[in-house]
Amino acid sequence: MSNTAPPSTVPKQTSPEMRALLAMFALYWRMEDALAKQEIISGLGRVECYLLLQLADPRRMGELAKTLMLVPSSVTMAADRLEQDGLAVRVRDTLDRRALLLQLTAKGHSLRDALEKRAEQAFREICDLDEDDIQQFAVLSDKLQKKFLGAANRCPGKEK
């Protein structure tokens, strides 16, 4: 961790919940900016990049929509783009022939690996956390993601 941190712009009386929320917003915006500047993903949109990062293994389209908390049509459009660019293909699920899986091609895996490495590097540079802090942050993030994905049936646009 850096020895000299810039002064906080958040008043000291701000609740821990609000400080955490503001930090998450700042991290998100900084990561968005850093990834947008990566020439490796030029031409790909944000949703396509998020989809690439989710595809270490083939996944069902509906599952991807829930994980990314997007309406299925957004995932379909992003998958179409990945297919057009030769980064992914749709294949039948061997366990359920009615379902389709989105699977990366060799070119897609190569791009995904490069994107993941650059995202990890950007995260380290932006956050300036040591290994222990990153591990603690990852544990807390896993808890949050599990909580969010448990509620993933409430995709945007599907609320009652």
Side-chain angles (χ1 to χ4, degrees):
M1 241 180 168
S2 175
N3 291 337
T4 57
S8 174
T9 58
V10 179
K12 289 183 183 189
Q13 68 272 18
T14 304
S15 70
E17 295 86 356
M18 200 63 211
R19 291 189 344 251
L21 182 62
L22 292 172
M24 293 299 293
F25 284 152
L27 174 59
Y28 176 79
W29 292 324
R30 293 285 310 274
M31 286 298 299
E32 281 274 304
D33 186 52
L35 291 176
K37 291 178 181 173
Q38 299 291 330
E39 60 191 51
I40 192 166
I41 59 170
S42 66
L44 288 182
R46 182 179 39 171
V47 175
E48 287 90 356
C49 291
Y50 293 157
L51 199 51
L52 270 175
L53 290 171
Q54 292 292 329
L55 288 171
D57 296 309
R59 308 265 302 271
R60 286 182 174 205
M61 300 289 285
E63 177 190 354
L64 288 164
K66 287 179 183 180
T67 299
L68 294 170
M69 296 182 145
L70 295 170
V71 292
S73 61
S74 294
V75 173
T76 299
M77 288 177 15
D80 289 346
R81 175 69 193 279
L82 294 180
E83 277 192 309
Q84 289 170 359
D85 291 351
L87 300 170
V89 294
R90 288 177 175 95
V91 296
R92 288 273 170 217
D93 185 339
T94 57
L95 300 176
D96 181 355
R97 301 286 300 157
R98 298 170 297 171
L100 291 175
L101 300 173
L102 189 62
Q103 170 180 303
L104 293 179
T105 62
K107 179 180 174 185
H109 276 291
S110 177
L111 183 62
R112 183 195 177 282
D113 292 346
L115 179 59
E116 184 176 54
K117 283 183 178 79
R118 292 201 182 174
E120 289 170 356
Q121 179 183 357
F123 178 84
R124 287 177 182 280
E125 289 171 4
I126 289 167
C127 293
D128 193 28
L129 298 173
D130 64 28
E131 290 299 318
D132 289 338
D133 288 339
I134 290 172
Q135 287 299 319
Q136 288 179 328
F137 188 78
V139 167
L140 292 172
S141 297
D142 289 343
K143 288 172 86 171
L144 291 172
Q145 188 171 25
K146 183 178 179 183
K147 170 77 172 167
F148 300 153
L149 294 180
N153 289 328
R154 298 186 307 267
C155 288
K158 299 284 184 181
E159 295 88 4
K160 292 184 178 180

